[in-house]
């Protein structure tokens, strides 16, 4: 049996953390390894515990979730961060995903759907609720990648389409009969050519420009 997914809870409301822990602890494949009450503590705990997935709120004292995301990226912490928040405004959604969040769900998400979201981002997928994706698609990315799709090779376009379908590198490698290392190289080239920061922006660029797998 595979090792359980190690999860860190970062939220300034103890009742929220308690509720999340109570639900997640009954999942056979998920283990809550720690908690934090603000972004700064969350970064420190993530460095200490090295979780697979961090459930992160956005609005917190001391350091908010977006700044904590940036700190984790600076530290090259491998944890995948799933934003779990009650804030739905585009001005909150977009910065969080630009800062490196692997997904964004709301606190009223169905518990089973939340467990599924944790498994999904742990597997390498980008997970966005439909209204979150719509907010991002309406946001202008300061011309990032505009008009540059023609610079992609045919293979890079295929990889980009599969990224847009939410496929992980392993799934892309299997679909295209490539090694994961080759897929990683293609992904890096795509981000460089389109001047994009991460897979989330690549997926959204693909949707905006009609690229599909």
């Amino acid at each position: 049996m595979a090792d359980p997914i190690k999860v860190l809870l970062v939220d300034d409301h103890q009742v929220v953390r308690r509720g999340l822990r109570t639900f997640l602890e009954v999942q056979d494949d998920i283990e809550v390894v720690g908690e934090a009450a603000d972004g700064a503590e969350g970064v420190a705990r993530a460095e200490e515990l090295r979780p697979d997935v961090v459930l992160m709120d956005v609005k917190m004292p001391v350091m908010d979730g977006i700044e904590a995301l940036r700190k984790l990226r600076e530290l090259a912490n491998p944890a995948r961060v799933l934003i779990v928040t009650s804030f739905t405004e585009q001005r909150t959604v977009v910065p969080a995903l630009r800062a490196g969040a692997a997904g964004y769900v709301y606190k009223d998400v169905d518990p089973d759907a939340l467990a599924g979201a944790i498994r999904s981002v742990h597997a390498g997928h980008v997970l966005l609720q439909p209204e979150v994706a719509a907010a991002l698609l309406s946001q202008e990315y300061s011309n990032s990648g505009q008009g540059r799709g023609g610079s992609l090779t045919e293979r890079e376009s295929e990889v980009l389409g599969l990224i847009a379908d939410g496929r992980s590198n392993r799934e892309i490698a299997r679909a295209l009969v490539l090694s994961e290392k080759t897929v990683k190289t293609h992904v890096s080239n795509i981000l460089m050519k389109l001047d994009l920061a991460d897979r989330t922006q690549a997926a959204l660029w693909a949707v905006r420009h009609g690229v599909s797998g």
Side-chain angles (χ1 to χ4, degrees), residues 3-9 20-21 24-34 51-53 118:
D3 292 334
I5 302 168
K6 296 184 293 184
V7 174
L8 172 66
L9 308 177
L20 289 171
R21 178 183 281 275
L24 294 176
E25 284 184 338
V26 302
Q27 307 297 313
D28 292 337
D29 59 340
I30 296 174
E31 177 188 2
V32 177
V33 295
D52 300 307
V53 176
I118 291 171

Side-chain angles (χ1 to χ4, degrees), residues 58-199:
V58 173
K59 300 295 185 182
M60 294 182 289
V62 184
M63 178 187 292
D64 66 23
I66 294 171
E67 184 60 27
L69 273 162
R70 295 191 183 110
K71 291 291 184 183
L72 289 173
R73 176 177 280 183
E74 289 173 8
L75 292 167
N77 190 292
R80 302 273 287 171
V81 178
L82 177 63
I83 294 292
V84 183
T85 185
S86 56
F87 290 88
T88 62
E89 299 95 335
Q90 182 172 304
R91 58 188 174 83
T92 301
V93 174
V94 174
L97 291 164
R98 283 182 168 175
Y104 196 111
V105 298
Y106 300 136
K107 285 184 177 176
D108 61 356
V109 65
D110 178 83
D112 289 330
L114 177 60
I118 291 171
R119 298 181 185 109
S120 182
V121 298
H122 178 249
H125 298 294
V126 174
L127 189 141
L128 303 175
Q129 291 185 320
E131 57 269 39
V132 175
L136 280 167
L137 289 172
S138 69
Q139 173 79 11
E140 292 300 326
Y141 277 115
S142 64
N143 297 321
S144 290
Q146 295 296 328
R148 299 180 185 177
S151 66
L152 298 181
T153 66
E154 182 177 350
R155 179 63 86 188
E156 287 166 353
S157 294
E158 290 177 326
V159 171
L160 179 59
L162 292 171
I163 290 173
D165 288 343
R167 306 283 191 93
S168 66
N169 283 352
R170 179 175 298 179
E171 291 170 327
I172 293 172
R174 190 179 301 123
L176 299 180
V177 195
L178 300 170
S179 69
E180 283 192 60
K181 184 177 180 180
T182 298
V183 172
K184 288 179 181 178
T185 299
H186 284 315
V187 173
S188 295
N189 289 339
I190 290 166
L191 298 180
M192 178 183 67
K193 288 182 178 181
L194 299 181
D195 191 25
L196 301 172
D198 52 37
R199 293 172 72 95

Side-chain angles (χ1 to χ4, degrees), residues 30-52:
I30 296 174
E31 177 188 2
V32 177
V33 295
E35 301 180 15
D38 59 66
E41 184 184 1
V43 171
R45 296 287 278 164
E47 285 292 281
E48 172 194 353
L49 300 170
R50 308 303 279 186
D52 300 307

